[in-house]
Amino acid sequence: VILTLEASIFEETPGGRKSAEIENWSVQKIKTIGGDAVKVLAWYRPDADPSICAFQQEYVRKIGQACKEFDLPFVFEMLVYPLPSDSSEAQTQDYVEHPEKRPDLVLDSVSEFAKPEYGVDLFKLESPVLAKGIADPDKGDKEEVAKIQALFDDLGKRAGRPWVMLSAGAGRDDFKNVLKYAYKAGASGFLAGRAIWWDAFQNFPDMDKMGKDLQQKAVPYFGELNKLTDAKATPWEKHEVFGGEGPKLAGKGQTFRESVPAAGGGCVIA
């Protein structure tokens, strides 16, 4: 069970967005109720006001430290977003892909939070290019496909640990194409919702139509994504960060008891 920590409502300031934790919620409480991992979304723009960048960095850093203290994997998700200086057409507070995002905004954000000080175990990343209308890597213009693939390859290199893709509400065909690029670049899977069920929910409040759409379209599509993932994704334990041998228990052997942190009460992954 992966449980979230961030509040869905963020603070919008002239210099950028500030994230916050859910009130009266913490990494320790997630551990207490039996959560297996902590998931956090932080809105981030490397070109936002420096004070905002510093605030977001400290927000993530503290969560990473708490996850280490309580021995819980840290799943970190980030999204670029429109600044007040961006065009009026780009302005939105919805959890959607920024329509005017640039690849460097995504890539530089990943580079920042890949630093050891943040303690990220698994990245949940957005496409470095707009997912809407993204070229099919199997059928698109070869030059365009090569440029897009190079950006995904860079994304994977900067992550430096297992990573999966988010959908940010992309259409079904577009998200499937995103995964094709990502898996070729070394991604290990996807954590997505709206790409799978959003179309069905447009029938609300007609529950019968919603159910029929989920069964007839969403379930088969989910199966297609899983099939693609099984065939093309890189198993997380085979990521090069583990040296090709998979994760190892730290302090294994007769001194194992001494290496287990009292607060976490679990195994330590090196």
Side-chain angles (χ1 to χ4, degrees), residues 22 28 30 46 55 59 71 77 94 97 110 119 171 216 223 226 239 253 257:
I22 297 171
Q28 183 176 12
I30 289 176
F55 181 93
Y59 169 75
D71 197 20
E77 169 185 8
D94 293 335
E97 183 177 49
V110 174
Q216 295 180 353
N226 287 336
H239 191 280
R257 298 189 305 278

Side-chain angles (χ1 to χ4, degrees), residues 3-268:
L3 296 175
T4 191
L5 185 61
E6 88 279 350
S8 59
I9 299 176
F10 49 84
E11 180 183 354
E12 192 82 81
T13 78
R17 294 179 181 177
K18 289 183 175 181
S19 299
E21 296 179 4
I22 297 171
E23 188 176 0
N24 295 321
W25 196 231
S26 67
V27 172
Q28 183 176 12
K29 290 184 177 181
I30 289 176
K31 178 76 172 186
T32 300
I33 67 171
D36 296 299
V38 176
K39 194 282 294 182
V40 170
L41 160 68
W43 300 93
Y44 194 76
R45 282 281 296 255
D47 57 342
D49 186 277
S51 65
I52 298 297
C53 289
F55 181 93
Q56 293 296 85
Q57 291 163 10
E58 183 61 16
Y59 169 75
V60 177
R61 188 181 294 111
K62 287 183 177 180
I63 295 172
Q65 292 170 348
C67 286
K68 182 178 181 180
E69 178 183 356
F70 293 102
D71 197 20
L72 284 175
F74 182 15
V75 181
F76 181 57
E77 169 185 8
M78 72 190 85
L79 284 174
V80 300
Y81 61 93
L83 292 173
S85 57
D86 292 336
S87 71
S88 58
E89 290 79 9
Q91 300 302 319
T92 179
Q93 292 190 344
D94 293 335
Y95 178 41
V96 295
E97 183 177 49
H98 177 22
E100 296 179 0
K101 72 177 180 183
R102 305 189 311 269
D104 63 293
L105 296 178
V106 177
L107 296 172
D108 289 347
S109 297
V110 174
S111 292
E112 175 61 39
F113 292 104
K115 296 175 182 178
E117 64 194 79
Y118 298 105
V120 175
D121 294 298
L122 175 70
F123 273 119
K124 180 183 177 185
L125 302 176
E126 65 176 312
S127 168
V129 299
L130 283 176
K132 185 176 182 179
I134 191 171
D136 185 332
D138 299 324
K139 303 175 182 178
D141 176 78
K142 291 184 178 180
E143 184 175 348
E144 181 182 5
V145 167
K147 290 181 179 179
I148 295 173
Q149 187 61 60
L151 291 170
F152 274 88
D153 292 345
D154 194 11
L155 185 73
K157 291 177 181 177
R158 295 189 188 216
R161 72 213 65 206
W163 54 292
V164 297
M165 294 303 299
L166 58 84
S167 69
R172 288 174 177 163
D173 290 339
D174 289 334
F175 186 55
K176 191 172 183 179
N177 286 331
V178 164
L179 291 183
K180 290 178 182 178
Y181 287 106
Y183 291 162
K184 190 174 181 180
S188 295
F190 62 92
L191 283 172
R194 284 171 295 164
I196 298 168
W197 50 256
W198 180 254
D199 288 349
F201 275 57
Q202 301 315 296
N203 294 310
F204 182 82
D206 190 326
M207 302 302 289
D208 289 337
K209 285 187 177 180
M210 286 176 62
K212 183 178 294 185
D213 194 293
L214 287 171
Q215 287 294 329
Q216 295 180 353
K217 298 180 181 179
V219 171
Y221 176 71
F222 192 31
E224 291 176 16
L225 296 187
N226 287 336
K227 185 177 181 180
L228 176 64
T229 301
D230 289 340
K232 301 295 184 180
T234 299
W236 72 269
E237 72 274 12
K238 293 185 179 180
H239 191 280
E240 61 182 15
V241 72
F242 300 121
E245 300 179 357
K248 298 180 180 179
L249 286 174
K252 62 181 179 178
Q254 295 182 357
T255 61
F256 176 71
R257 298 189 305 278
E258 300 172 7
S259 68
V260 177
C267 295
V268 182

